[in-house]
Amino acid sequence: MTSKFTELAIDCADPGVLARFWCAVLDYEVQDEGDGIVIIGSPEVPEGRSRLGPVPPRLTFAHVPEGKIVKNRLHIDVNPTDREQGEEVRRLLDLGARHADVGQGDATWVVLADPEGNEFCVLADRCP
């Protein structure tokens, strides 16, 4: 018996705003909401815990009173599936992301930050 990665919890100031941003990034939908928590996930795999094999993880946004202070120790990487990296970066910037410098130097990925400053990377390889 093993564990399965099914969910990533993200502390934030405004769970609704961040959930809407990440729904647009990942083509996810809100699956549950209440008491300062918004859970989003793939509309095609609403519950992955009991499903065999890998599943797209859900993201849980939980309201916390303190703000983000330092670089994340854990971050999300996204891979554009239907466009090139530059086109995807432009789309994400239009959604409210911004460029971020975490000391990445000359890399093949682009570091962005979501509307609350959480860093994430847009990779260059297209994967299904």
Side-chain angles (χ1 to χ4, degrees):
M1 180 85 42
T2 62
S3 292
K4 183 184 297 190
F5 174 47
T6 59
E7 196 162 325
L8 177 65
I10 300 169
D11 292 347
C12 59
D14 191 333
V17 167
L18 220 47
R20 283 191 301 279
F21 171 81
W22 282 102
C23 279
V25 171
L26 300 171
D27 195 24
Y28 273 20
E29 63 185 20
V30 172
Q31 294 181 337
D32 196 11
E33 189 170 4
D35 294 327
I37 294 176
V38 180
I39 300 171
I40 67 171
S42 171
E44 296 178 18
V45 186
E47 177 54 62
R49 188 170 139 186
S50 59
R51 183 182 164 108
L52 295 177
V55 296
R58 299 188 323 168
L59 300 180
T60 298
F61 300 97
H63 176 263
V64 295
E66 65 275 357
K68 180 179 178 299
I69 298 172
V70 297
K71 177 184 172 291
N72 295 355
R73 302 226 19 209
L74 178 74
H75 69 267
I76 296 171
D77 286 347
V78 297
N79 235 317
T81 58
D82 62 351
R83 63 193 61 144
E84 297 301 320
Q85 180 189 43
E87 295 170 292
E88 181 66 352
V89 167
R90 283 188 293 282
R91 182 181 83 87
L92 299 176
L93 292 170
D94 288 344
L95 290 174
R98 59 182 162 68
H99 284 280
D101 184 354
V102 294
Q104 66 268 24
D106 187 26
T108 60
W109 59 88
V110 176
V111 181
L112 299 177
D114 71 17
E116 288 205 14
N118 299 301
E119 299 90 1
F120 66 100
C121 297
V122 182
L123 305 181
D125 297 332
R126 293 197 308 188
C127 298

